[in-house]
């Protein structure tokens, strides 16, 4: 199962990178979203999957799933949410200002 | 001793404060007491029974880098020169620099240099020595560029910096070599291990590295080109750094390391050859100069070459002569620089073609210059110290060690003739300097100012130095036993007390002196007829041209390289970064066998539900690439997100599943809000090449992640640390949800910062939207 998830993570990374290398802002943002999904799966798999009960202490339970990756991912989910929303608003503002969402057309001033 | 070294640096901190009162009191008046105090402190060490002093202060003991200050004869000579000349130069600068100049800057740089220079000559630890060495380069750079509004000053400063720092780095390489071979950072311990160093295969490399450091600093051929351009500095600086002290740091370095290399034949060949070449070339070039300070600069270069050559000879006589000449050169050259400054100050020009007949206007300066130039020329008069050391130099050229190497034998035979040849030109430019300025027709209409004698305060410093010239000239053995013998001993153990006398028979050295004076007079009188030779030599072969070409091509090439990939396209930068990551990671992983131990044991079981969720996610992810409708794209991305939360449920991570669900829902809402404002997706119109590149980068990254993940999962190098959290969750955190305890208790600060990041993002979003609204409202 672990290897299947890792392959899934690999596919998510590949599609993410492909989207990030596009020109339109929306695609790039979607790319970053997929990228963080892939990263979360990799981190989760590193703690091995399906070994024991959910990490909530209970006297009847002997083995628990690894809680550490979950804690890391929880932080990461929230941060990537922040990034996604910031990027979205940034894209929306940029598109409004420049009348384009094409990265190649958005060039700054020449070197001052 | 550490206080003596650091006091100038500490006092430099207060100079900016003191310089605020410069309208009332010239800042130099405060500063002059610092070198004077240091001079008086070290003066008491002079004596026949002097023995070296070592003081150690811990700095970075774990790296064997300590302030080991070691005062032996050689250091003492330099320390006295640095502080003694320093006192006179600061005193002179009080009259030279007008209070409207930026005095604070000037004295801060000067004191910084003083500390650095004292550090160089007192440090026994090679790395501390190197640190101070570079500090002298930096302060020299700042002082040359003191009048930074002048283009020539900036050029000279940059040139000196580039050349001396290049040499400094090379020297650092040599020092690292030495300290690795000998296992010590102390020069004295290195000298004790001469055998180990001499038998090391890297000896030639070490020698070249260290000598490049010394040659660049002491402006030896062909690195001498920075010194004439350094003359853009204020004259007190030229007299101090670029004549008496800093440029002698290279001499000091060679002298300090002589005990290590003295037995190595190539040391003699390289150092003598470069030294004597510098002597000949620079004295020949000096005659061509028209700027007073330019003549003095080339003259300094040639005198340094002479000292360097004597250190290369390494014989007892040569070493003593070198030490003697270090002292003599500082006296007469220092005074000549100061007089050049006075002439500049009082007439407004340093161009020797515009000067002439100043004897009647400036009788005092003329008298001082007479002693200085004649001493420099080595005129045989019993009250000029330059004559004695030149005589000793000639003597040492005739008494070289026996050599086995045939080139060394040839060099030994040639050296006396080259020495005489160089000295003839020394005589010519010395005479040119004196007679060209002070005698001949008056050209008052060419001068910017009406010339008059300098104030007595300005003359005082050169007077002291010229008195030094005369006193050493009259009593040449005055400081032999108490100072010079100790210094020579530090370079060559065998070098002993040498009695210098004015007349020592009608021997080779005296004949050489007579030849120099005789031919010198003839050449000087016929100067106009043969100076055309300078149009042929060096003509286009000047080293300055090489330097300028080098610097400008470095500019052009680096510009071209940077512009070739800094195109402004973020996509390109991203591609380069990804390509580098992919290639490097794969190469490293394959070469180190990272993918070798993949095990299929210890895996979780697979169920139909898992696989179907995974398949749906794969499908959705791939669709994101091909969909060209923005609404569809957003929804498909949502499928991946919700798929992840289902996986979290399957993998028993309830907190993650909940969070992911909430976040995904809110994200969807956000995407849909922005959706309205974003332009519709366009079909891709890329070339096939673009697509292939993107495909390669995407697949490469994906494969890399999968393979690294599998390799990491297969490794059993580290034990899990999670048991700790399971065991202590309730005991330390008082909670039964382990993930929550980790987040808010064990890693509480992380979570705090995470909240901070979210807060900042929220502020930024608010700002972005608000700004637009305001703009639209207007």
């Amino acid at each position: 199962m672990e290897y299947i998830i890792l392959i899934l993570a690999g596919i998510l990374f590949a599609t993410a990178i492909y989207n990030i290398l596009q020109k339109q802002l929306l695609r790039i943002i979607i790319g970053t979203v997929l990228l963080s999904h892939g990263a979360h799966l990799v981190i989760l798999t590193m703690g091995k999957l399906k070994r024991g009960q959910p990490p909530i202490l209970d006297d009847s339970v002997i083995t628990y799933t690894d809680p550490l990756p979950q804690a890391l991912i929880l932080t990461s989910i929230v941060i990537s949410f922040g990034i996604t929303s910031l990027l979205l608003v940034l894209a929306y503002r940029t598109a409004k200002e420049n009348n384009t969402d094409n990265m190649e057309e958005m060039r700054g001033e020449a070197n001052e | 001793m550490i206080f003596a070294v650091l006091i100038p640096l500490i006092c430099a901190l207060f100079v900016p404060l003191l310089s605020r009162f410069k309208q009332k009191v010239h800042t130099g008046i405060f500063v002059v007491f610092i070198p004077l105090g240091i001079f008086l402190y070290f003066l008491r060490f002079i004596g026949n029974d002097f023995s070296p002093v070592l003081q150690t202060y811990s700095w970075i003991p774990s790296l064997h880098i300590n302030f080991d200050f070691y005062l032996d004869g050689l250091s003492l000579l330099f320390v006295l020169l640095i502080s003694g000349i320093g006192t006179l130069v600061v005193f002179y600068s009080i009259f030279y620099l007008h209070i409207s100049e930026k005095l604070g800057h000037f004295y801060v740089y000067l004191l910084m240099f003083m500390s650095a220079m004292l550090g160089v000559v007192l440090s026994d630890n090679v790395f501390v020595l190197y640190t101070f060495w570079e500090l002298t380069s930096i302060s020299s750079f700042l002082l040359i560029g003191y009048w930074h509004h002048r283009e020539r000053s900036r050029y000279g400063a940059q040139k000196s910096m580039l050349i001396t720092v290049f040499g400094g780095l090379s020297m650092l390489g040599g020092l690292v070599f030495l300290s690795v071979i000998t296992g010590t950072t102390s020069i004295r311990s290195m000298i004790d291990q001469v055998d180990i160093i001499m038998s090391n295969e890297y000896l030639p490399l070490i020698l070249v590295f260290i000598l490049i450091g010394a040659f660049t600093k002491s402006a030896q051929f062909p690195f001498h080109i920075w010194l004439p351009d350094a003359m853009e500095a204020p004259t007190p600086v030229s007299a101090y750094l670029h004549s008496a002290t800093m440029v002698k740091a290279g001499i000091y370095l060679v002298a300090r390391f002589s005990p290590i290399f003295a037995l190595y034949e190539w040391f003699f060949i390289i150092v003598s050859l470069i030294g004597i070449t510098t002597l000949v070339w620079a004295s020949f070039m000096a005659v061509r100069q028209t700027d007073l300070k330019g003549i003095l600069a080339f003259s300094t270069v040639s005198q340094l070459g002479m000292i360097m050559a004597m250190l290369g000879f390494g014989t007892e006589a040569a070493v003593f002569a070198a030490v003697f000449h270090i002292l003599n050169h500082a006296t007469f050259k220092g005074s000549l620089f100061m007089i050049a400054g006075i002439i500049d100050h009082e007439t407004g020009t340093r161009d020797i073609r515009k000067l002439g007949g100043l004897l009647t206007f400036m009788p005092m300066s003329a008298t001082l210059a007479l002693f200085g130039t004649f001493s420099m020329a080595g005129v045989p008069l019993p009250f000029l110290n330059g004559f004695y050391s030149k005589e000793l130099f000639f003597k040492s050229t005739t008494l070289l060690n026996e050599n086995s190497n045939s080139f060394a034998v040839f060099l030994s035979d040639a050296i006396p003739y080259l020495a005489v040849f160089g000295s003839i030109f020394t005589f010519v430019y010395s005479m040119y300097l004196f007679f060209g300025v002070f005698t001949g027709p008056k050209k008052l209409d060419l001068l910017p100012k009406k010339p008059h004698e300098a104030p007595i305060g300005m003359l005082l410093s050169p007077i002291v130095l010229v008195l030094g010239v005369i006193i050493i000239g009259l009593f040449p053995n005055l400081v032999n036993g108490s100072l010079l013998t100790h210094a020579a001993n530090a370079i060559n153990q065998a070098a002993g007390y040498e009695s210098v006398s004015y007349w020592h028979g009608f021997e080779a050295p005296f004949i050489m002196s007579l030849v120099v004076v005789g031919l010198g007079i003839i050449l000087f009188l016929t100067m106009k007829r043969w100076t055309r030779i300078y149009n042929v030599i060096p003509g286009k072969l000047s080293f300055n041209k090489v330097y300028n070409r080098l610097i400008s091509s470095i500019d052009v090439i680096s510009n071209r390289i940077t512009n070739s990939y800094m195109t402004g396209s973020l996509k390109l930068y991203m591609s380069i970064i990804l390509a580098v990551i992919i290639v490097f990671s794969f190469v490293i992983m394959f070469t180190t066998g990272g993918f070798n131990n993949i095990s299929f044991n210890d895996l979780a079981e697979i169920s139909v539900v898992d696989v179907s969720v995974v398949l749906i996610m794969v499908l959705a992810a791939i669709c994101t690439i091909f969909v060209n409708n923005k609404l569809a794209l957003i929804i498909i991305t949502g499928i991946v997100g919700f798929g992840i939360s289902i996986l979290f449920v399957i993998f028993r991570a309830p907190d993650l599943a909940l969070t992911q669900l909430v976040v995904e829902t809110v994200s969807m809402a956000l995407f849909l809000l922005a959706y309205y404002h974003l332009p519709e997706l366009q079909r891709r119109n890329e070339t096939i090449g673009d697509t292939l590149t993107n495909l390669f980068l995407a697949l490469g990254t994906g494969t890399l992640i999968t393979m690294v993940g599998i390799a990491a999962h297969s490794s059993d190098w580290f034990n899990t640390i999670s048991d700790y959290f399971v065991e202590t969750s309730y005991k330390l955190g008082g909670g039964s949800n382990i993930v929550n305890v980790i987040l808010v208790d064990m890693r509480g600060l992380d979570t705090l910062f995470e909240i901070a990041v979210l807060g900042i993002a929220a502020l930024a979003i608010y700002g972005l939207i608000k700004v637009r609204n305001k703009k639209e409202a207007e």
Side-chain angles (χ1 to χ4, degrees):
Chain A
M1 191 67 219
E2 276 88 345
Y3 292 171
I4 295 179
I5 297 299
L6 284 172
I7 291 168
L8 172 64
I11 292 170
L12 285 179
F13 263 92
T15 48
I17 296 293
Y18 198 88
N19 275 315
I20 287 176
L21 291 174
Q22 298 302 310
K23 289 170 191 153
Q24 282 193 291
L25 281 173
L26 184 59
R27 282 200 193 277
I28 293 173
I29 298 169
I30 299 278
T32 58
V33 172
L34 292 175
L35 198 73
S36 50
H37 288 333
H40 297 161
L41 284 179
V42 173
I43 298 173
L44 191 69
T45 321
M46 289 301 107
K48 299 199 187 297
L49 301 172
K50 300 194 194 173
R51 308 295 155 90
Q53 297 302 306
I56 294 165
L57 290 175
D58 193 297
D59 289 340
S60 61
V61 178
I62 303 162
T63 52
Y64 296 99
T65 325
D66 198 337
L68 192 56
Q70 299 194 12
L72 296 178
I73 295 169
L74 202 59
T75 310
S76 170
I77 291 176
V78 179
I79 295 279
S80 24
F81 169 64
I83 292 173
T84 311
S85 21
L86 182 66
L87 280 179
L88 263 176
V89 176
L90 204 58
Y92 143 73
R93 278 277 292 146
T94 320
K96 277 274 167 196
E97 290 284 313
N98 300 320
N99 294 323
T100 176
D101 68 339
N102 189 325
M103 288 294 285
E104 297 294 305
E105 288 167 24
M106 285 187 265
R107 292 289 177 93
E109 305 289 314
N111 273 351
E112 58 261 26
Chain B
M1 249 188 283
I2 191 167
F3 291 110
V5 174
L6 295 183
I7 274 178
L9 215 50
I10 295 166
C11 291
L13 291 176
F14 300 103
V15 166
L17 290 176
L18 292 173
S19 71
R20 296 198 172 184
F21 311 110
K22 67 180 182 182
Q23 298 299 340
K24 294 197 187 96
V25 189
H26 195 285
T27 319
I29 292 172
F30 300 109
V31 176
V32 76
F33 292 103
I34 300 163
L36 187 63
I38 298 172
F39 182 72
L40 294 176
Y41 172 78
F42 281 103
L43 206 57
R44 67 193 170 91
F45 287 100
I46 293 187
N48 290 328
D49 51 352
F50 168 79
S51 63
V53 187
L54 174 71
Q55 286 176 12
T56 297
Y57 304 90
S58 199
W59 186 16
I60 318 175
S62 54
L63 295 174
H64 307 293
I65 295 177
N66 296 310
F67 285 117
D68 298 332
F69 290 121
Y70 182 67
L71 182 76
D72 64 356
L74 185 63
S75 305
L76 183 61
L77 172 66
F78 272 94
V79 166
L80 290 175
L81 278 182
I82 295 162
S83 52
I85 308 262
T87 312
L88 297 174
V89 161
V90 172
F91 187 76
Y92 175 80
S93 71
I94 296 173
F95 300 91
Y96 184 85
L97 284 176
H98 192 255
I99 49 169
S100 59
E101 304 270 6
K102 283 177 284 185
L103 296 178
H105 292 60
F106 181 78
Y107 288 110
V108 167
Y109 302 155
L110 206 67
L111 288 172
M112 191 167 105
F113 168 76
M114 218 176 274
S115 265
M117 198 62 211
L118 289 170
V120 166
V121 299
L122 285 172
S123 298
D124 183 50
N125 187 299
V126 286
F127 296 111
V128 177
L129 172 88
Y130 171 74
T131 311
F132 283 121
W133 180 278
E134 292 296 36
L135 195 57
T136 62
S137 294
I138 294 168
S139 44
S140 158
F141 168 79
L142 291 168
L143 283 167
I144 297 171
Y146 176 64
W147 284 315
H148 50 76
H149 49 87
R150 294 186 190 166
E151 204 264 330
R152 295 294 307 169
S153 288
R154 296 198 300 272
Y155 172 78
Q158 189 200 32
K159 197 173 187 178
S160 79
M161 180 82 162
L162 286 176
I163 293 179
T164 53
V165 169
F166 157 74
L169 285 174
S170 150
M171 179 182 98
L172 177 66
L175 295 178
V176 169
F177 256 122
L178 276 181
S179 72
V180 169
I181 291 170
T182 58
T184 172
T185 50
S186 150
I187 299 175
R188 281 174 311 123
S189 315
M190 286 176 185
I191 293 173
D192 291 339
Q193 304 184 44
V194 169
D195 302 337
I196 300 176
I197 300 172
M198 287 300 286
S199 58
N200 192 283
E201 53 178 326
Y202 291 113
L203 180 63
L205 208 59
I206 300 171
L207 181 69
V208 169
F209 275 174
I210 290 188
L211 287 183
I212 286 179
F215 290 164
T216 48
K217 199 73 164 182
S218 282
Q220 297 295 294
F221 184 90
F223 304 113
H224 64 278
I225 50 170
W226 69 265
L227 194 60
D229 283 306
M231 292 301 135
E232 291 301 322
T235 304
V237 172
S238 310
Y240 190 31
L241 273 72
H242 305 123
S243 160
T245 56
M246 190 188 86
V247 287
K248 292 211 176 91
I251 303 274
Y252 170 81
L253 191 78
V254 171
R256 183 51 86 206
F257 282 94
S258 294
I260 296 181
F261 297 117
L263 295 173
Y264 188 46
E265 197 156 48
W266 283 99
F267 176 76
F268 161 72
I269 295 178
I270 299 178
V271 178
S272 307
L273 183 66
I274 295 287
I276 209 93
T277 314
T278 310
L279 164 65
V280 172
W281 180 254
S283 62
F284 174 68
M285 290 296 289
V287 182
R288 182 198 195 195
Q289 305 303 313
T290 51
D291 179 3
L292 284 185
K293 281 174 78 179
I295 301 177
L296 288 173
F298 273 101
S299 143
T300 305
V301 172
S302 96
Q303 303 276 326
L304 291 170
M306 175 172 148
I307 301 173
M308 195 62 94
M310 287 192 273
L311 289 175
F313 302 162
T315 55
E316 292 107 63
V319 166
F320 183 84
V323 172
F324 191 32
H325 197 66
I326 289 173
L327 179 65
N328 292 344
H329 178 244
T331 54
F332 64 70
K333 191 56 65 65
S335 64
L336 284 177
F337 263 111
M338 289 176 184
I339 289 160
I342 289 173
I343 293 167
D344 185 16
H345 209 254
E346 306 305 336
T347 65
T349 182
R350 297 196 312 251
D351 191 332
I352 198 161
R353 290 167 299 188
K354 295 183 187 166
L355 296 165
L358 290 180
L359 188 63
T360 49
F361 296 100
M362 311 170 83
M364 285 287 284
S365 307
T367 318
L368 295 174
L370 182 75
F371 284 106
T373 49
F374 277 54
S375 177
M376 179 160 77
V379 176
L381 290 171
F383 49 85
L384 297 174
N385 59 1
F387 168 66
Y388 293 95
S389 43
K390 184 141 286 183
E391 196 86 328
L392 284 175
F393 169 59
F394 287 145
K395 190 175 153 202
S396 68
T397 59
T398 59
L399 295 171
L400 296 177
N401 284 331
E402 291 289 316
N403 287 295
S404 50
N405 183 314
S406 59
F407 183 71
V409 172
F410 170 72
L411 189 64
S412 311
D413 291 342
I415 280 174
Y417 299 100
L418 289 170
V420 169
F421 184 75
S423 302
I424 292 172
F425 283 98
T426 308
F427 185 88
V428 174
Y429 69 68
S430 302
M431 294 303 117
Y432 178 47
L433 194 64
F434 178 75
F435 291 107
V437 173
F438 292 105
T439 63
K442 301 187 179 80
K443 306 167 191 165
L444 292 183
D445 45 330
L446 290 174
L447 297 177
K449 283 193 208 169
K450 186 168 163 24
H452 54 80
E453 187 57 276
I456 182 69
M458 207 167 183
L459 286 167
L460 209 56
S461 291
I463 287 175
V464 172
L465 285 172
V466 167
L467 278 180
V469 170
I470 297 171
I471 290 171
I472 299 175
L474 288 174
F475 311 102
N477 297 310
L478 190 64
V479 286
N480 274 7
S482 49
L483 181 62
L484 297 181
T485 312
H486 300 303
N489 263 332
I491 306 172
N492 184 337
Q493 287 280 325
Y497 183 88
E498 188 127 349
S499 179
V500 188
S501 57
Y502 175 64
W503 177 254
H504 40 76
F506 200 71
E507 287 165 5
F510 190 70
I511 297 171
M512 287 158 95
S513 280
L514 283 185
V515 171
V516 167
V517 174
L519 281 177
I521 291 173
I522 295 171
L523 277 179
F524 173 63
L525 293 176
T526 58
M527 231 176 101
K528 288 211 169 56
R529 306 211 181 135
W530 56 268
T531 40
R532 251 173 289 145
I533 194 172
Y534 289 107
N535 297 332
V536 187
I537 320 169
K540 286 192 172 169
L541 297 167
S542 112
F543 290 97
N544 270 319
K545 288 217 169 77
V546 177
Y547 169 83
N548 290 337
R549 183 71 58 80
L550 202 67
I551 295 300
S552 64
S553 55
I554 285 175
D555 269 0
V556 170
I557 292 171
S558 59
N559 211 356
R560 204 175 291 159
I561 291 175
T562 310
N563 286 341
S564 69
Y565 66 91
M566 283 285 166
T567 57
S569 158
L570 288 177
K571 183 173 172 289
L572 180 67
Y573 303 162
M574 193 75 204
S575 307
I576 293 174
I577 294 170
L578 285 170
V580 170
I581 291 175
I582 294 169
V583 171
F584 268 76
S585 309
F586 270 115
V587 168
I588 298 284
M589 285 302 271
F590 276 115
T591 50
T592 57
F595 294 137
N596 286 353
N597 304 311
I598 289 174
S599 81
F600 286 87
N601 309 323
D602 192 28
L603 295 178
E605 77 282 9
I606 302 167
S607 76
V608 185
V609 185
D610 308 350
V611 176
S612 30
V613 174
V614 168
L615 281 179
I616 292 171
M617 285 175 69
V618 169
L619 210 64
I622 293 174
C623 280
T624 55
I625 296 174
F626 297 103
V627 164
N628 280 327
N629 178 305
K630 55 180 175 174
L631 187 59
L633 181 64
I634 292 169
I635 291 171
I636 289 171
T637 317
I639 294 177
V640 180
F642 288 113
I644 294 258
S645 50
I646 295 174
L647 284 182
F648 285 153
V649 173
I650 295 172
F651 299 138
R652 284 141 211 185
D655 297 297
L656 295 189
L658 281 175
T659 318
Q660 180 69 34
L661 265 178
V662 174
V663 163
E664 200 54 42
T665 315
V666 179
S667 299
M668 274 303 106
L670 262 178
F671 266 108
L672 292 174
L673 274 176
Y675 149 82
Y676 172 74
H677 296 282
L678 286 173
E680 184 54 71
L681 293 175
Q682 288 139 11
R683 295 199 168 274
R684 285 191 260 293
N685 51 345
E686 333 169 282
T687 59
I688 304 246
D690 271 352
T691 315
L692 283 179
T693 321
N694 293 353
L695 206 63
F696 166 75
L697 292 172
L699 290 178
T701 317
T703 324
L704 181 71
I705 295 293
T706 306
M707 289 181 72
V708 169
I710 291 175
H713 191 267
S714 303
S715 86
D716 47 0
W717 286 0
F718 305 103
N719 292 324
T720 170
I721 56 168
S722 302
D723 297 338
Y724 169 82
F725 298 109
V726 177
E727 279 160 25
T728 55
S729 169
Y730 193 78
K731 252 189 286 175
L732 297 179
S736 51
N737 184 332
I738 305 172
V739 175
N740 285 3
V741 170
I742 293 177
L743 282 177
V744 297
D745 277 297
M746 316 240 180
R747 318 283 325 148
L749 271 182
D750 284 2
T751 312
L752 182 71
F753 287 127
E754 178 196 341
I755 296 169
V757 169
L758 272 191
I760 292 166
L763 280 176
I765 291 169
Y766 178 78
L768 282 169
I769 295 173
K770 205 69 179 165
V771 169
R772 186 196 70 102
N773 285 350
K774 264 193 191 152
K775 222 180 199 176
E776 275 178 6
E778 282 163 13

